[in-house]
Amino acid sequence: MSIDISDASRVAKLARIRVEEQALPALAAEFNTILGFIEQLSQVDVEGIEPMVSVTPMRLPRRPDDVTDGGQQAAVLSNAPDAREGFFAVPKVVE
């Protein structure tokens, strides 16, 4: 796949990046370099290799995934300037 100047201009527009007209050829060349690197990666044989989430073989500490109520409604609402019926009360902002 090859990126030309019109493709580079379109990518810049979609990314909402202002690129001057004279800089488009360099941007297209940079995109083509990146795509060439990706094509090189796709040629690597990864058959039988398990995916990994880290380069270090360690397991992250985990906690039990237990659903709790929290039981701190009164403490949380004590910070509210206006609380009604167990909820934060806010002024109406849309008429």
Side-chain angles (χ1 to χ4, degrees), residues 23-62:
L24 284 174
L27 182 63
E30 192 170 339
F31 283 152
N32 284 320
T33 302
I34 293 168
L35 289 175
F37 179 69
I38 292 171
E39 287 177 9
Q40 282 182 339
L41 288 176
S42 68
Q43 295 172 0
V44 175
D45 181 23
V46 293
E47 190 67 36
I49 298 175
E50 289 187 34
M52 56 188 210
V53 295
S54 175
V55 294
T56 58
M58 59 183 258
R59 185 160 173 86
L60 295 175
R62 300 180 188 259

Side-chain angles (χ1 to χ4, degrees), residues 64-82:
D65 190 17
D66 297 331
V67 177
T68 61
D69 184 22
Q72 298 183 18
Q73 181 181 19
V76 171
L77 290 175
S78 68
N79 296 320
D82 187 11

Side-chain angles (χ1 to χ4, degrees), residues 91-95:
K92 186 175 183 178
V93 293
V94 179
E95 297 296 325

